[in-house]
Amino acid sequence: MRHNTAAKPNVTVTARVVDDATAELIIADNGPGIPATEREVVTGNRDITPLHHGSGLGLWLVRWITDRYGAELTIETPESGGTTVRIAFDRALISA
């Protein structure tokens, strides 16, 4: 794993229904975490400036896709370590 320096790298991917209107994709790892400044820029909580900007393309691509489809992106670094990326999006409604 390129960015995970843990002795035993681990990544889990979970999809779940939140409620009748929302589903969520959760990607969690046990890596070193994403720095707060990087998280803030990618999630839009901090303006992009010459001193504050993202360093990689992967999270920007996730952000672009979530914005394009009206989803919500959150990135958390729990105190226990690692990173949890959550993408909440509208569920497809199937009518009979």
Side-chain angles (χ1 to χ4, degrees), residues 40-86:
E40 292 168 353
V41 169
V42 171
T43 58
N45 293 330
R46 180 178 217 163
D47 291 334
I48 299 170
T49 70
L51 295 177
H52 298 108
H53 53 82
S55 62
L57 182 61
L59 287 175
W60 285 108
L61 181 59
V62 170
R63 173 63 190 264
W64 182 82
I65 292 169
T66 57
D67 284 351
R68 179 87 174 153
Y69 290 96
E72 181 181 341
L73 171 67
T74 58
I75 303 172
E76 305 163 350
T77 300
E79 291 199 22
S80 59
T83 300
T84 302
V85 176
R86 295 176 185 273

